Amino acid sequence: MQLNTSLEIGRRWLRATAQGSTLLSVMMIAVVWAGVGFHLKVENTGAEAAAVQNSANLARAFEEHLSRSLHEIDRSLKIIRSNYRLDPTGFDLRRWLSISHIFDENTLQVAIISSEGFIKQSNINSSTSVGTDLRDREHFRRFVDAANDDLYISKPVVGRTTGKWSVQLARRINNADGSFGGVVDASLDPNYLSRFYSSVDVGNDGYIRIVGFDGVVRAVGGHSTDALGKDLSNASLFAHFSRQEAGWYYTESGLTDRIRRLVTYRTVKGFPLIVTIGLSAPELFSGVYAKQRWYNLIAIVLTLVILVVNGFSVRGRLLREKMAHVLRVQNLRFSALLADMPLGVCMFDEAGCLAISNDRYFQMYHLPTDGIAPGTPLREIVQRKKANGAVLGDVEAFCDDLAGQLDRGLLVRGLAHLDDGRVISSLSQPMEDGGWVSIHEDVTERKRAEEKIAYMAHHDPLTGLL
């Protein structure tokens, strides 16, 4: 029994929720969240496109600035080399630099390294600068057996003379016979390469880096400088750089601080360097994230409103179904009660039309049970009664007289004599809503008994005379 009750409750809930309004609510919620998602996607795409365009423009400007700066330094190294080759023994580097002023304070040291690997001349006025052993330094060793005349840009190293981080820009010096005659070298402060870029706001977690083709970071701009000297040859940059010389991508910064960034890169024309600009994704899309919180809040509120409204609708349907169920049960009980009654019962509405009746009522007057439906007017029913042998006189007069008495709130009693000799007693009682209830009883036997008693009361039982 409990299982059946649970199943019935479940079916009620299913019927209550499986309505068009529920489907409409689901569609409205889907539209709300789809709209939020679409709008956020548009906002995100717009912020991304603007960031890519601005970063690409900055990368182009930085690349041009760096290219010009390096060309100027390289030109100065070539001038020094040419003057030195004219008179290797008489050339005074320090005096020449004081006259030419071709390097500024960003150049930590300018030196001529002998073919043996020791500093031969330096602009630093120190007794320890000349004679410093640089035989193990890469910017010396690579030129010992190399015949090319390219500018070499070293990885960041700590200078043995200056004690500071520096990037070595070096060129090979050839003797008159073409043999190795040493190296001319300029030790630059790494900030020299990135100081111009640091004036650009790239956010707290953004950066501007100059990375060599070997993957080592030469210079860093921005708030974070801990990547200086790091080897990024396994980073995503080189996977993209191998396909095109300029572009952009997203990275999780797994080799450094693990901050998701949008990185724009561009190679430096004429030099084995890459300018990269990294913008923190959380900072880049912070405005979008702020809007997302508001959009989500609005969408949640709208969703709750829709759910509450639909909940009231479902609750209303449940209540109506419950009431309908109660009414069905009551109607069934009422119908069963009417069916078991020996009396004929019928109810008419305020318009004088049949509302409900039992089969006994139709049987009394030999009326077809399936021929008179609820809503049939009283006059039509009375006409059928008369056609089936009920002695009622004029139909219109009968109906008007009955309606008049009921309108005055009177109980109306009546007797109907049928052709087959039966007598039907009726009692009609008005109701508050304007209709009335009629109860019909077959009193044939009672009337016969009453007539017999009356007859016997007026006649001698032995002679039959009065």
Side-chain angles (χ1 to χ4, degrees):
M1 184 66 179
Q2 185 176 2
L3 178 61
N4 292 335
T5 302
S6 300
L7 289 174
E8 179 60 26
I9 293 175
R11 283 194 289 268
R12 288 181 190 173
W13 272 100
L14 183 61
R15 287 194 296 269
T17 54
Q19 301 290 334
S21 59
T22 302
L23 178 60
L24 179 62
S25 298
V26 173
M27 293 175 63
M28 290 175 64
I29 292 173
V31 168
V32 167
W33 285 102
V36 168
F38 175 77
H39 196 70
L40 287 174
K41 185 175 181 181
V42 171
E43 293 275 354
N44 189 87
T45 302
E48 179 184 82
V52 169
Q53 183 176 3
N54 292 336
S55 297
N57 292 337
L58 287 174
R60 185 179 296 107
F62 296 161
E63 181 267 330
E64 292 176 356
H65 174 268
L66 180 60
S67 179
R68 287 197 302 269
S69 299
L70 293 177
H71 276 297
E72 286 296 323
I73 295 172
D74 188 33
R75 177 174 171 275
S76 300
L77 290 177
K78 289 179 178 178
I79 293 174
I80 294 173
R81 183 178 64 177
S82 297
N83 283 274
Y84 173 77
R85 290 175 60 184
L86 290 174
D87 185 10
T89 58
F91 180 74
D92 187 343
L93 176 63
R94 191 180 306 164
R95 180 175 178 276
W96 188 89
L97 290 174
S98 65
I99 296 173
S100 61
H101 300 290
I102 61 174
F103 289 103
D104 57 20
E105 68 278 1
N106 293 303
T107 306
L108 302 178
Q109 179 178 226
V110 179
I112 295 176
I113 307 171
S114 68
S115 58
E116 289 79 20
F118 297 92
I119 293 180
K120 184 176 180 180
Q121 294 190 50
S122 172
N123 67 326
I124 298 177
N125 187 14
S126 171
S127 58
T128 60
S129 61
V130 176
T132 301
D133 187 357
L134 300 179
R135 289 176 294 178
D136 60 332
R137 292 295 197 184
E138 187 175 0
H139 62 278
F140 171 78
R141 290 189 295 108
R142 76 177 309 275
F143 288 118
V144 173
D145 298 319
N148 61 10
D149 190 29
D150 296 333
L151 175 69
Y152 174 70
I153 304 173
S154 75
K155 304 171 185 177
V157 295
V158 177
R160 288 178 178 162
T161 303
T162 63
K164 299 178 181 179
W165 280 99
S166 62
V167 174
Q168 309 297 321
L169 276 67
R171 274 193 174 273
R172 174 188 169 104
I173 300 175
N174 290 330
N175 293 320
D177 58 0
S179 62
F180 178 59
V183 174
V184 58
D185 167 58
S187 301
L188 300 182
D189 182 353
N191 289 330
Y192 175 79
L193 303 178
S194 57
R195 185 173 291 115
F196 170 73
Y197 318 133
S198 297
S199 62
V200 178
D201 183 13
V202 291
N204 293 328
D205 294 320
Y207 64 72
I208 300 172
R209 294 174 183 168
I210 300 173
V211 184
F213 285 3
D214 56 2
V216 178
V217 179
R218 263 51 174 193
V220 178
H223 295 282
S224 177
T225 59
D226 56 353
L228 184 65
K230 282 187 176 294
D231 185 354
L232 303 181
S233 56
N234 293 324
S236 302
L237 170 64
F238 288 90
H240 292 82
F241 170 68
S242 62
R243 294 193 293 268
Q244 55 184 3
E245 295 183 349
W248 63 276
Y249 62 93
Y250 282 99
T251 178
E252 302 299 330
S253 303
L255 298 178
T256 52
D257 52 14
R258 300 186 181 280
I259 296 176
R260 179 173 173 77
R261 292 184 173 90
L262 185 151
V263 177
T264 305
Y265 66 92
R266 185 179 184 87
T267 57
V268 179
K269 185 178 180 181
F271 299 96
L273 299 173
I274 308 170
V275 174
T276 64
I277 300 175
L279 301 178
S280 168
E283 293 178 351
L284 175 62
F285 299 111
S286 59
V288 178
Y289 297 154
K291 290 183 179 180
Q292 181 178 6
R293 287 190 290 271
W294 279 106
Y295 293 160
N296 288 342
L297 179 61
I298 293 172
I300 290 172
V301 171
L302 290 177
T303 300
L304 291 176
V305 170
I306 294 172
L307 290 176
V308 168
V309 171
N310 188 65
F312 279 114
S313 177
V314 171
R315 181 175 179 271
R317 287 195 293 269
L318 282 173
L319 292 176
R320 289 193 296 272
E321 185 168 338
K322 184 178 180 180
M323 292 176 62
H325 176 71
V326 172
L327 288 175
R328 284 196 299 271
V329 172
Q330 290 178 348
N331 288 336
L332 289 174
R333 291 173 179 173
F334 184 58
S335 298
L337 177 63
L338 291 179
D340 293 337
M341 289 181 65
L343 305 176
V345 180
C346 58
M347 182 183 298
F348 291 85
D349 59 23
E350 67 278 5
C353 297
L354 182 65
I356 190 172
S357 63
N358 64 353
D359 292 343
R360 180 61 180 159
Y361 172 70
F362 295 113
Q363 293 169 2
M364 284 181 176
Y365 295 99
H366 299 299
L367 298 174
T369 57
D370 57 349
I372 300 177
T376 303
L378 173 65
R379 283 177 171 76
E380 182 179 337
I381 296 175
V382 173
Q383 288 173 352
R384 292 197 179 193
K385 286 181 180 180
K386 186 174 182 179
N388 288 341
V391 181
L392 298 172
D394 183 67
V395 173
E396 294 294 331
F398 174 82
C399 292
D400 292 339
D401 181 61
L402 176 62
Q405 295 186 64
L406 290 172
D407 287 341
R408 296 195 298 273
L410 301 176
L411 291 175
V412 182
R413 300 179 184 274
L415 286 176
H417 296 271
L418 277 68
D419 289 349
D420 57 6
R422 289 183 297 118
V423 179
I424 306 298
S425 172
S426 63
L427 174 65
S428 298
Q429 180 178 356
M431 297 187 299
E432 293 182 357
D433 62 356
W436 71 90
V437 177
S438 294
I439 300 175
H440 301 257
E441 181 182 6
D442 189 340
V443 294
T444 304
E445 296 298 328
R446 187 193 307 168
K447 286 296 182 181
R448 288 176 180 174
E450 290 176 353
E451 291 176 356
K452 184 176 181 180
I453 292 173
Y455 176 82
M456 291 179 66
H458 293 84
H459 293 78
D460 188 319
L462 296 178
T463 62
L465 299 175
L466 289 172

